[in-house]
């Protein structure tokens, strides 16, 4: 049997069909090997010389330090345009970025007024070095408004706390009579409270946005602080117009009784008697309250409102450029800090600093003893009939009802 198998195998080996199949298989394998053949990697060629500008082709990489490295020896190298620089050092866009840094206006299809200016021209704001306007604004904000403004607010707060610890709340010395005088009408109280609520909202949101990263961020973390400042920023923007309208109403309502009068200078020279403990006679509003009105409400208040309305872009026919917004912000922040310092003293005396002052704004009435001790000249005018003790219709003095003061 083995002999027959060997005979059949030899017959197939010498068969033409077998050799044809073998040749075909070898041909296919050789062709496949040629198709998968990979050339060995070549080292990167040395950088080619600068090609003529008119030559077209695909994107080519080049090392600008190896292309005309002596181009900077040209006396006019620093005056070259971007196109000229591209001839000797392709890819070197220094002239273009130099113009960008100088605030040169480029060409753009965007409709925004300053879209062609990536960097503002040079400017020197008060307290800043001569540099581009954006950097100058940053220096004023970070080197002056934030540190000195925050320090001033803290100094005023500490001074008020020390004064309260030393003197306590100011009180009347006489016994209440039970007879009341109307100090504020309903309209006056409404205007005051509306303005006060808007001011507190603006002050808290402004302090958190300006100084919050120093005392809140380390405590509550970046996520909560981010959401808080975002919410307060929107509150600030919406409370601003409310404060502006109510401020105008407050000015119109109280301006008459805040005009300078005889005795104001004496009150200021004696400090209102805060240190001596002896009240200095005054009219309906003493000289200290008049300073708060004219400096805080009228002067700083109108500046804060005007600059704030500008920052909200509510003023028509005005160019809201970066420079104008930067100036408006510096004015707004500076005036706001000074106004808050004045109002902190006013809030202190109107709440815990003077007994009866808060109830006067809450109910509108004060006892005759309070009026005589704190505003003696105003009390004398009421007793003389120059000023009515009751200015609102259907008040306690008309109906006989009692007001707790």
């Amino acid at each position: 049997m083995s002999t027959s198998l060997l005979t059949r195998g030899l017959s197939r080996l010498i068969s033409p069909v077998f050799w044809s199949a073998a040749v075909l298989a070898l041909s296919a394998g050789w062709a496949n090997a040629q198709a998968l053949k990979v050339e060995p990697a070549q080292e990167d060629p040395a950088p080619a010389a600068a090609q003529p500008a008119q030559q077209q082709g695909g994107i080519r990489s080049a090392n600008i330090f190896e292309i005309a490295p002596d181009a900077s020896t040209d006396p006019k190298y620093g005056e070259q345009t971007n196109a000229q620089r591209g001839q000797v050092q392709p890819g070197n866009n220094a002239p273009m970025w130099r113009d960008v840094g100088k605030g040169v206006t480029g060409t753009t299809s965007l409709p925004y007024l300053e879209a062609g200016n990536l960097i503002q021209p040079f400017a020197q704001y008060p307290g800043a070095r001569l540099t581009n306007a954006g950097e100058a604004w940053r220096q004023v904000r970070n080197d002056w408004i934030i540190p000195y403004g925050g320090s001033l607010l803290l100094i005023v707060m500490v001074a008020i706390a020390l004064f309260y610890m030393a003197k306590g709340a100011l009180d009347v010395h006489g016994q209440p009579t039970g007879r009341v005088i109307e100090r504020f009408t309903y309209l006056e109280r409404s205007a005051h409270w509306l303005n006060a609520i808007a001011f507190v909202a603006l002050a808290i949101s402004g302090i958190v946005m300006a100084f919050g990263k120093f005392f809140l961020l380390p405590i509550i973390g970046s996520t909560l602080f981010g959401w808080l400042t975002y919410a307060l920023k929107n509150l600030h923007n919406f409370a601003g117009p409310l404060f502006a309208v109510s401020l105008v109403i407050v000015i119109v309502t109280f301006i008459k009784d805040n005009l300078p009068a005889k005795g104001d200078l004496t009150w200021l020279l004696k400090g209102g008697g805060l240190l001596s403990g002896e009240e200095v006679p005054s009219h309906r509003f003493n000289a200290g309250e008049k300073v708060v009105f004219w400096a805080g409400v009228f002067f700083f208040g109108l500046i804060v409102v005007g600059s704030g309305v500008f920052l909200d872009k509510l003023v028509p026919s005005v160019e809201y450029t970066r420079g104008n917004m930067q100036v408006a912000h510096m004015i707004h922040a500076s005036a706001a800090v000074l106004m808050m310092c004045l109002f902190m003293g006013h809030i202190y005396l109107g709440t815990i600093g003077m007994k009866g002052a808060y109830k006067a704004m809450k109910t509108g009435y004060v006892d005759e003893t309070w009026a005589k001790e704190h505003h003696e000249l105003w009390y004398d005018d009421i007793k003389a009939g120059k000023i009515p003790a009751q200015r609102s219709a259907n008040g306690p003095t008309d109906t006989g009802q009692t007001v707790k003061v």
Side-chain angles (χ1 to χ4, degrees), residues 68-83:
D70 58 344
S72 59
T73 60
D74 188 340
K76 296 184 179 180
Y77 180 78
E79 303 174 6
Q80 289 175 343
T81 64
N82 205 58

Side-chain angles (χ1 to χ4, degrees), residues 61-373:
S61 63
N63 187 336
I64 64 171
F65 296 105
E66 296 176 356
I67 300 176
D70 58 344
S72 59
T73 60
D74 188 340
K76 296 184 179 180
Y77 180 78
E79 303 174 6
Q80 289 175 343
T81 64
N82 205 58
Q84 292 171 335
R85 184 65 59 83
Q87 296 291 328
V88 295
Q89 290 181 330
N92 186 340
N93 296 325
M96 181 193 73
W97 292 109
R98 189 179 298 115
D99 287 343
V100 169
K102 293 178 181 178
V104 174
T105 301
T107 303
T108 178
S109 60
L110 298 176
Y112 179 61
L113 183 64
E114 291 184 297
N117 290 87
L118 295 179
I119 298 179
Q120 293 176 263
F122 274 46
Q124 188 170 12
Y125 294 140
R129 300 186 302 272
L130 178 62
T131 180
N132 66 74
E135 171 62 17
W137 166 80
R138 190 193 69 84
Q139 291 176 10
V140 173
R141 180 188 184 277
N142 293 351
D143 297 342
W144 292 93
I145 296 177
I146 295 299
Y148 290 101
S151 299
L152 183 60
L153 290 173
L154 286 175
I155 290 172
V156 173
M157 290 178 60
V158 171
I160 291 175
L162 292 176
F163 182 84
Y164 179 75
M165 293 172 61
K167 303 290 292 185
L170 302 178
D171 198 3
V172 295
H173 299 90
Q175 294 296 322
T177 64
R179 297 183 298 272
V180 295
I181 297 174
E182 186 178 27
R183 182 158 175 77
F184 300 109
T185 65
Y186 179 79
L187 176 63
E188 292 170 340
R189 286 183 287 130
S190 299
H192 174 272
W193 284 116
L194 183 63
N195 187 251
I197 292 172
F199 169 78
V200 171
L202 291 170
I204 293 176
S205 57
I207 288 174
V208 171
M209 288 189 291
F211 310 103
K213 68 178 182 179
F214 302 109
F215 66 92
L216 269 183
L217 180 59
I219 299 175
I220 64 178
S222 58
T223 301
L224 183 56
F225 180 74
W227 281 105
L228 178 63
T229 50
Y230 178 78
L232 291 178
K233 174 186 176 296
N234 286 280
L235 174 65
H236 198 90
N237 291 340
F238 282 99
L242 177 63
F243 177 77
V245 174
S246 60
L247 184 77
V248 174
I249 297 176
V250 166
I251 291 175
V252 173
T253 302
F254 292 105
I255 191 171
K256 178 182 178 182
D257 289 324
N258 277 284
L259 295 174
K262 183 179 180 181
D264 288 343
L265 182 59
T266 303
W267 193 98
L268 290 174
L269 293 176
K270 293 184 178 181
L274 291 177
L275 299 178
S276 64
E278 297 180 3
E279 289 278 349
V280 181
S282 63
H283 292 276
R284 185 188 179 198
F285 298 120
N286 58 46
E289 292 171 310
K290 291 179 180 180
V291 169
V292 172
F293 177 85
W294 288 107
V297 177
F298 188 85
F299 184 71
F300 290 126
L302 292 181
I303 290 178
V304 168
V305 167
S307 56
V309 169
F310 186 90
L311 290 171
D312 277 341
K313 298 183 178 181
L314 299 178
V315 182
S317 303
V318 175
E319 295 181 349
Y320 293 105
T321 61
R322 284 170 289 179
N324 289 341
M325 298 294 278
Q326 288 159 358
V327 172
H329 170 267
M330 291 185 289
I331 294 174
H332 185 78
S334 302
V337 169
L338 295 174
M339 181 177 66
M340 283 190 287
C341 290
L342 284 171
F343 280 8
M344 284 167 63
H346 173 73
I347 293 172
Y348 163 73
L349 290 174
T351 53
I352 63 173
M354 178 180 290
K355 294 182 179 180
Y358 172 75
K359 289 183 178 180
M361 185 55 70
K362 179 182 178 181
T363 65
Y365 295 89
V366 294
D367 189 87
E368 285 188 353
T369 302
W370 189 96
K372 183 176 182 180
E373 290 198 18

